[in-house]
mmCIF file of all heavy atoms in Angstrom:
data_model
loop_
_atom_site.group_PDB
_atom_site.id
_atom_site.type_symbol
_atom_site.label_atom_id
_atom_site.label_comp_id
_atom_site.label_asym_id
_atom_site.label_seq_id
_atom_site.Cartn_x
_atom_site.Cartn_y
_atom_site.Cartn_z
ATOM 1 N N LYS A 1128 98.873 107.165 97.780
ATOM 2 C CA LYS A 1128 100.334 107.048 98.134
ATOM 3 C C LYS A 1128 100.545 105.969 99.156
ATOM 4 O O LYS A 1128 101.512 105.214 99.041
ATOM 5 C CB LYS A 1128 100.859 108.410 98.623
ATOM 6 C CG LYS A 1128 101.286 109.308 97.530
ATOM 7 C CD LYS A 1128 102.028 110.526 98.105
ATOM 8 C CE LYS A 1128 102.474 111.417 96.979
ATOM 9 N NZ LYS A 1128 103.267 112.532 97.424
ATOM 10 N N VAL A 1129 99.682 105.900 100.148
ATOM 11 C CA VAL A 1129 99.797 104.883 101.167
ATOM 12 C C VAL A 1129 99.652 103.506 100.553
ATOM 13 O O VAL A 1129 100.445 102.588 100.828
ATOM 14 C CB VAL A 1129 98.793 105.099 102.305
ATOM 15 C CG1 VAL A 1129 98.775 103.911 103.269
ATOM 16 C CG2 VAL A 1129 99.098 106.373 103.082
ATOM 17 N N TYR A 1130 98.652 103.352 99.734
ATOM 18 C CA TYR A 1130 98.414 102.080 99.051
ATOM 19 C C TYR A 1130 99.583 101.730 98.146
ATOM 20 O O TYR A 1130 100.052 100.576 98.155
ATOM 21 C CB TYR A 1130 97.109 102.150 98.251
ATOM 22 C CG TYR A 1130 96.730 100.860 97.558
ATOM 23 C CD1 TYR A 1130 96.434 99.699 98.277
ATOM 24 C CD2 TYR A 1130 96.684 100.822 96.170
ATOM 25 C CE1 TYR A 1130 96.073 98.553 97.618
ATOM 26 C CE2 TYR A 1130 96.330 99.605 95.530
ATOM 27 C CZ TYR A 1130 96.005 98.498 96.244
ATOM 28 O OH TYR A 1130 95.697 97.361 95.634
ATOM 29 N N LEU A 1131 100.093 102.694 97.400
ATOM 30 C CA LEU A 1131 101.243 102.462 96.526
ATOM 31 C C LEU A 1131 102.458 102.086 97.316
ATOM 32 O O LEU A 1131 103.204 101.203 96.948
ATOM 33 C CB LEU A 1131 101.501 103.737 95.698
ATOM 34 C CG LEU A 1131 102.461 103.646 94.552
ATOM 35 C CD1 LEU A 1131 101.971 102.642 93.508
ATOM 36 C CD2 LEU A 1131 102.629 105.019 93.934
ATOM 37 N N SER A 1132 102.620 102.704 98.464
ATOM 38 C CA SER A 1132 103.754 102.365 99.342
ATOM 39 C C SER A 1132 103.654 100.920 99.816
ATOM 40 O O SER A 1132 104.689 100.205 99.871
ATOM 41 C CB SER A 1132 103.786 103.363 100.536
ATOM 42 O OG SER A 1132 104.769 102.977 101.439
ATOM 43 N N LEU A 1133 102.481 100.500 100.188
ATOM 44 C CA LEU A 1133 102.252 99.147 100.642
ATOM 45 C C LEU A 1133 102.542 98.153 99.520
ATOM 46 O O LEU A 1133 103.266 97.151 99.695
ATOM 47 C CB LEU A 1133 100.838 98.970 101.132
ATOM 48 C CG LEU A 1133 100.483 97.583 101.699
ATOM 49 C CD1 LEU A 1133 101.301 97.327 102.984
ATOM 50 C CD2 LEU A 1133 99.026 97.466 102.017
ATOM 51 N N LEU A 1134 102.024 98.451 98.331
ATOM 52 C CA LEU A 1134 102.278 97.557 97.176
ATOM 53 C C LEU A 1134 103.798 97.508 96.880
ATOM 54 O O LEU A 1134 104.327 96.461 96.579
ATOM 55 C CB LEU A 1134 101.528 98.046 95.943
ATOM 56 C CG LEU A 1134 100.007 97.947 96.011
ATOM 57 C CD1 LEU A 1134 99.417 98.417 94.683
ATOM 58 C CD2 LEU A 1134 99.506 96.581 96.386
ATOM 59 N N TYR A 1135 104.423 98.665 96.970
ATOM 60 C CA TYR A 1135 105.870 98.769 96.733
ATOM 61 C C TYR A 1135 106.614 97.850 97.724
ATOM 62 O O TYR A 1135 107.550 97.148 97.336
ATOM 63 C CB TYR A 1135 106.344 100.213 96.844
ATOM 64 C CG TYR A 1135 107.810 100.353 96.643
ATOM 65 C CD1 TYR A 1135 108.347 100.315 95.341
ATOM 66 C CD2 TYR A 1135 108.688 100.555 97.739
ATOM 67 C CE1 TYR A 1135 109.715 100.469 95.141
ATOM 68 C CE2 TYR A 1135 110.042 100.689 97.496
ATOM 69 C CZ TYR A 1135 110.550 100.668 96.222
ATOM 70 O OH TYR A 1135 111.905 100.781 96.019
ATOM 71 N N ASP A 1136 106.198 97.870 98.990
ATOM 72 C CA ASP A 1136 106.883 97.016 99.984
ATOM 73 C C ASP A 1136 106.772 95.546 99.628
ATOM 74 O O ASP A 1136 107.753 94.791 99.828
ATOM 75 C CB ASP A 1136 106.268 97.221 101.369
ATOM 76 C CG ASP A 1136 106.656 98.580 101.968
ATOM 77 O OD1 ASP A 1136 107.631 99.186 101.510
ATOM 78 O OD2 ASP A 1136 105.942 99.021 102.924
ATOM 79 N N PHE A 1137 105.680 95.111 99.092
ATOM 80 C CA PHE A 1137 105.474 93.688 98.734
ATOM 81 C C PHE A 1137 106.141 93.338 97.382
ATOM 82 O O PHE A 1137 106.646 92.243 97.230
ATOM 83 C CB PHE A 1137 103.996 93.365 98.685
ATOM 84 C CG PHE A 1137 103.408 93.143 100.022
ATOM 85 C CD1 PHE A 1137 102.552 94.140 100.602
ATOM 86 C CD2 PHE A 1137 103.652 92.025 100.768
ATOM 87 C CE1 PHE A 1137 102.004 93.987 101.828
ATOM 88 C CE2 PHE A 1137 103.108 91.827 102.042
ATOM 89 C CZ PHE A 1137 102.257 92.826 102.537
ATOM 90 N N TYR A 1138 106.073 94.215 96.381
ATOM 91 C CA TYR A 1138 106.393 93.833 95.021
ATOM 92 C C TYR A 1138 107.548 94.612 94.368
ATOM 93 O O TYR A 1138 107.741 94.510 93.169
ATOM 94 C CB TYR A 1138 105.139 93.947 94.172
ATOM 95 C CG TYR A 1138 103.957 93.250 94.688
ATOM 96 C CD1 TYR A 1138 102.832 93.939 95.100
ATOM 97 C CD2 TYR A 1138 103.936 91.855 94.778
ATOM 98 C CE1 TYR A 1138 101.694 93.287 95.592
ATOM 99 C CE2 TYR A 1138 102.811 91.181 95.277
ATOM 100 C CZ TYR A 1138 101.720 91.894 95.665
ATOM 101 O OH TYR A 1138 100.615 91.250 96.176
ATOM 102 N N LYS A 1139 108.309 95.361 95.132
ATOM 103 C CA LYS A 1139 109.372 96.197 94.564
ATOM 104 C C LYS A 1139 110.398 95.405 93.754
ATOM 105 O O LYS A 1139 110.983 95.928 92.817
ATOM 106 C CB LYS A 1139 110.040 97.022 95.622
ATOM 107 C CG LYS A 1139 110.851 96.252 96.628
ATOM 108 C CD LYS A 1139 111.445 97.195 97.667
ATOM 109 C CE LYS A 1139 111.870 96.372 98.840
ATOM 110 N NZ LYS A 1139 111.740 97.101 100.087
ATOM 111 N N ASP A 1140 110.576 94.159 94.065
ATOM 112 C CA ASP A 1140 111.587 93.383 93.350
ATOM 113 C C ASP A 1140 111.195 93.077 91.914
ATOM 114 O O ASP A 1140 112.037 92.683 91.114
ATOM 115 C CB ASP A 1140 111.831 92.030 94.067
ATOM 116 C CG ASP A 1140 112.526 92.205 95.436
ATOM 117 O OD1 ASP A 1140 113.190 93.228 95.575
ATOM 118 O OD2 ASP A 1140 112.342 91.325 96.287
ATOM 119 N N PHE A 1141 109.962 93.376 91.548
ATOM 120 C CA PHE A 1141 109.532 93.197 90.180
ATOM 121 C C PHE A 1141 109.663 94.482 89.331
ATOM 122 O O PHE A 1141 109.331 94.461 88.180
ATOM 123 C CB PHE A 1141 108.043 92.741 90.135
ATOM 124 C CG PHE A 1141 107.850 91.422 90.783
ATOM 125 C CD1 PHE A 1141 107.273 91.306 92.053
ATOM 126 C CD2 PHE A 1141 108.271 90.243 90.163
ATOM 127 C CE1 PHE A 1141 107.075 90.085 92.651
ATOM 128 C CE2 PHE A 1141 108.093 88.999 90.772
ATOM 129 C CZ PHE A 1141 107.493 88.940 92.009
ATOM 130 N N LEU A 1142 110.217 95.519 89.932
ATOM 131 C CA LEU A 1142 110.395 96.792 89.218
ATOM 132 C C LEU A 1142 111.821 96.974 88.797
ATOM 133 O O LEU A 1142 112.754 96.374 89.368
ATOM 134 C CB LEU A 1142 110.013 97.956 90.136
ATOM 135 C CG LEU A 1142 108.603 97.995 90.651
ATOM 136 C CD1 LEU A 1142 108.444 99.208 91.618
ATOM 137 C CD2 LEU A 1142 107.596 98.044 89.541
ATOM 138 N N LYS A 1147 111.990 101.803 90.712
ATOM 139 C CA LYS A 1147 112.099 101.815 92.159
ATOM 140 C C LYS A 1147 112.464 103.200 92.677
ATOM 141 O O LYS A 1147 111.872 103.700 93.619
ATOM 142 C CB LYS A 1147 113.200 100.831 92.613
ATOM 143 C CG LYS A 1147 112.804 99.383 92.521
ATOM 144 C CD LYS A 1147 113.985 98.527 92.973
ATOM 145 C CE LYS A 1147 113.764 97.042 92.694
ATOM 146 N NZ LYS A 1147 114.917 96.243 93.091
ATOM 147 N N ILE A 1150 109.459 105.654 92.356
ATOM 148 C CA ILE A 1150 108.407 105.372 93.378
ATOM 149 C C ILE A 1150 108.887 105.754 94.738
ATOM 150 O O ILE A 1150 108.167 106.377 95.535
ATOM 151 C CB ILE A 1150 108.009 103.847 93.378
ATOM 152 C CG1 ILE A 1150 107.332 103.476 92.052
ATOM 153 C CG2 ILE A 1150 107.092 103.553 94.542
ATOM 154 C CD1 ILE A 1150 105.987 104.106 91.775
ATOM 155 N N GLU A 1151 110.154 105.503 95.090
ATOM 156 C CA GLU A 1151 110.695 105.891 96.395
ATOM 157 C C GLU A 1151 110.681 107.416 96.558
ATOM 158 O O GLU A 1151 110.295 107.913 97.601
ATOM 159 C CB GLU A 1151 112.118 105.395 96.526
ATOM 160 C CG GLU A 1151 112.214 103.869 96.757
ATOM 161 C CD GLU A 1151 113.630 103.326 96.715
ATOM 162 O OE1 GLU A 1151 114.604 104.141 96.557
ATOM 163 O OE2 GLU A 1151 113.785 102.112 96.794
ATOM 164 N N VAL A 1154 106.821 108.455 96.848
ATOM 165 C CA VAL A 1154 106.141 108.032 98.058
ATOM 166 C C VAL A 1154 106.894 108.455 99.325
ATOM 167 O O VAL A 1154 106.301 109.067 100.230
ATOM 168 C CB VAL A 1154 105.946 106.484 98.053
ATOM 169 C CG1 VAL A 1154 105.402 106.034 99.381
ATOM 170 C CG2 VAL A 1154 105.022 106.085 96.918
ATOM 171 N N ASN A 1155 108.172 108.173 99.410
ATOM 172 C CA ASN A 1155 108.928 108.415 100.637
ATOM 173 C C ASN A 1155 109.405 109.834 100.796
ATOM 174 O O ASN A 1155 109.417 110.386 101.931
ATOM 175 C CB ASN A 1155 110.136 107.434 100.743
ATOM 176 C CG ASN A 1155 109.698 106.009 100.754
ATOM 177 O OD1 ASN A 1155 108.590 105.674 101.208
ATOM 178 N ND2 ASN A 1155 110.565 105.136 100.288
ATOM 179 N N ALA A 1181 105.357 101.415 86.513
ATOM 180 C CA ALA A 1181 105.621 100.817 87.847
ATOM 181 C C ALA A 1181 104.309 100.622 88.598
ATOM 182 O O ALA A 1181 104.079 99.553 89.176
ATOM 183 C CB ALA A 1181 106.528 101.728 88.655
ATOM 184 N N LEU A 1185 102.845 97.022 89.873
ATOM 185 C CA LEU A 1185 102.545 96.769 91.276
ATOM 186 C C LEU A 1185 101.085 96.301 91.411
ATOM 187 O O LEU A 1185 100.828 95.348 92.116
ATOM 188 C CB LEU A 1185 102.780 97.989 92.131
ATOM 189 C CG LEU A 1185 104.267 98.458 92.235
ATOM 190 C CD1 LEU A 1185 104.319 99.784 92.917
ATOM 191 C CD2 LEU A 1185 105.094 97.439 92.938
ATOM 192 N N LYS A 1186 100.195 96.966 90.743
ATOM 193 C CA LYS A 1186 98.744 96.611 90.853
ATOM 194 C C LYS A 1186 98.470 95.272 90.171
ATOM 195 O O LYS A 1186 97.631 94.510 90.669
ATOM 196 C CB LYS A 1186 97.898 97.722 90.264
ATOM 197 C CG LYS A 1186 97.849 98.945 91.122
ATOM 198 C CD LYS A 1186 97.023 100.085 90.561
ATOM 199 C CE LYS A 1186 97.033 101.279 91.494
ATOM 200 N NZ LYS A 1186 96.234 102.375 90.955
ATOM 201 N N TYR A 1188 100.548 92.675 90.044
ATOM 202 C CA TYR A 1188 100.965 91.648 90.973
ATOM 203 C C TYR A 1188 100.023 91.505 92.143
ATOM 204 O O TYR A 1188 99.726 90.404 92.618
ATOM 205 C CB TYR A 1188 102.413 91.860 91.435
ATOM 206 C CG TYR A 1188 103.398 91.364 90.443
ATOM 207 C CD1 TYR A 1188 104.088 92.217 89.617
ATOM 208 C CD2 TYR A 1188 103.667 90.009 90.313
ATOM 209 C CE1 TYR A 1188 104.995 91.780 88.669
ATOM 210 C CE2 TYR A 1188 104.557 89.529 89.371
ATOM 211 C CZ TYR A 1188 105.220 90.393 88.559
ATOM 212 O OH TYR A 1188 106.087 89.933 87.640
ATOM 213 N N GLU A 1189 99.472 92.645 92.615
ATOM 214 C CA GLU A 1189 98.526 92.577 93.719
ATOM 215 C C GLU A 1189 97.244 91.863 93.283
ATOM 216 O O GLU A 1189 96.703 91.091 94.038
ATOM 217 C CB GLU A 1189 98.192 93.959 94.244
ATOM 218 C CG GLU A 1189 97.116 93.991 95.330
ATOM 219 C CD GLU A 1189 97.435 93.184 96.576
ATOM 220 O OE1 GLU A 1189 98.612 92.809 96.798
ATOM 221 O OE2 GLU A 1189 96.515 92.884 97.348
ATOM 222 N N LEU A 1192 98.427 88.069 93.203
ATOM 223 C CA LEU A 1192 98.923 87.465 94.462
ATOM 224 C C LEU A 1192 98.145 87.858 95.700
ATOM 225 O O LEU A 1192 98.122 87.121 96.686
ATOM 226 C CB LEU A 1192 100.400 87.776 94.649
ATOM 227 C CG LEU A 1192 101.298 87.312 93.504
ATOM 228 C CD1 LEU A 1192 102.726 87.793 93.731
ATOM 229 C CD2 LEU A 1192 101.283 85.806 93.368
ATOM 230 N N LEU A 1194 98.786 89.873 98.150
ATOM 231 C CA LEU A 1194 99.549 89.889 99.399
ATOM 232 C C LEU A 1194 99.145 91.064 100.276
ATOM 233 O O LEU A 1194 99.028 90.901 101.522
ATOM 234 C CB LEU A 1194 101.052 89.958 99.119
ATOM 235 C CG LEU A 1194 101.645 88.725 98.447
ATOM 236 C CD1 LEU A 1194 103.134 88.931 98.170
ATOM 237 C CD2 LEU A 1194 101.421 87.476 99.230
ATOM 238 N N ALA A 1195 98.939 92.228 99.715
ATOM 239 C CA ALA A 1195 98.514 93.394 100.515
ATOM 240 C C ALA A 1195 97.141 93.159 101.070
ATOM 241 O O ALA A 1195 96.893 93.519 102.244
ATOM 242 C CB ALA A 1195 98.571 94.684 99.647
ATOM 243 N N TYR A 1198 97.403 90.859 103.911
ATOM 244 C CA TYR A 1198 98.062 91.584 105.014
ATOM 245 C C TYR A 1198 97.013 92.377 105.783
ATOM 246 O O TYR A 1198 96.943 92.326 107.043
ATOM 247 C CB TYR A 1198 99.122 92.502 104.482
ATOM 248 C CG TYR A 1198 99.688 93.457 105.493
ATOM 249 C CD1 TYR A 1198 100.619 93.094 106.426
ATOM 250 C CD2 TYR A 1198 99.239 94.792 105.520
ATOM 251 C CE1 TYR A 1198 101.126 93.988 107.340
ATOM 252 C CE2 TYR A 1198 99.729 95.703 106.443
ATOM 253 C CZ TYR A 1198 100.669 95.274 107.377
ATOM 254 O OH TYR A 1198 101.150 96.173 108.295
ATOM 255 N N TYR A 1199 96.180 93.152 105.079
ATOM 256 C CA TYR A 1199 95.149 93.956 105.735
ATOM 257 C C TYR A 1199 94.122 93.100 106.432
ATOM 258 O O TYR A 1199 93.698 93.406 107.529
ATOM 259 C CB TYR A 1199 94.455 94.880 104.731
ATOM 260 C CG TYR A 1199 95.139 96.206 104.567
ATOM 261 C CD1 TYR A 1199 95.609 96.608 103.326
ATOM 262 C CD2 TYR A 1199 95.335 97.057 105.652
ATOM 263 C CE1 TYR A 1199 96.225 97.837 103.164
ATOM 264 C CE2 TYR A 1199 95.999 98.263 105.490
ATOM 265 C CZ TYR A 1199 96.418 98.658 104.214
ATOM 266 O OH TYR A 1199 97.080 99.856 104.112
ATOM 267 N N ARG A 1202 95.778 91.650 109.545
ATOM 268 C CA ARG A 1202 95.974 92.725 110.510
ATOM 269 C C ARG A 1202 94.652 93.026 111.228
ATOM 270 O O ARG A 1202 94.643 93.256 112.432
ATOM 271 C CB ARG A 1202 96.505 93.953 109.793
ATOM 272 C CG ARG A 1202 96.923 95.050 110.695
ATOM 273 C CD ARG A 1202 97.586 96.131 109.908
ATOM 274 N NE ARG A 1202 97.652 97.326 110.743
ATOM 275 C CZ ARG A 1202 98.079 98.481 110.311
ATOM 276 N NH1 ARG A 1202 98.438 98.619 109.079
ATOM 277 N NH2 ARG A 1202 98.138 99.513 111.129
#
Side-chain angles (χ1 to χ4, degrees):
K1128 275 189 178 184
V1129 170
Y1130 182 65
L1131 191 61
S1132 176
L1133 183 66
L1134 295 183
Y1135 180 77
D1136 288 341
F1137 282 105
Y1138 307 114
K1139 67 182 163 213
D1140 292 336
F1141 297 105
L1142 301 178
K1147 287 179 189 178
I1150 296 292
E1151 287 171 5
V1154 172
N1155 298 334
L1185 294 171
K1186 288 179 179 180
Y1188 278 103
E1189 176 58 16
L1192 301 175
L1194 295 178
Y1198 169 80
Y1199 273 121
R1202 188 173 166 188

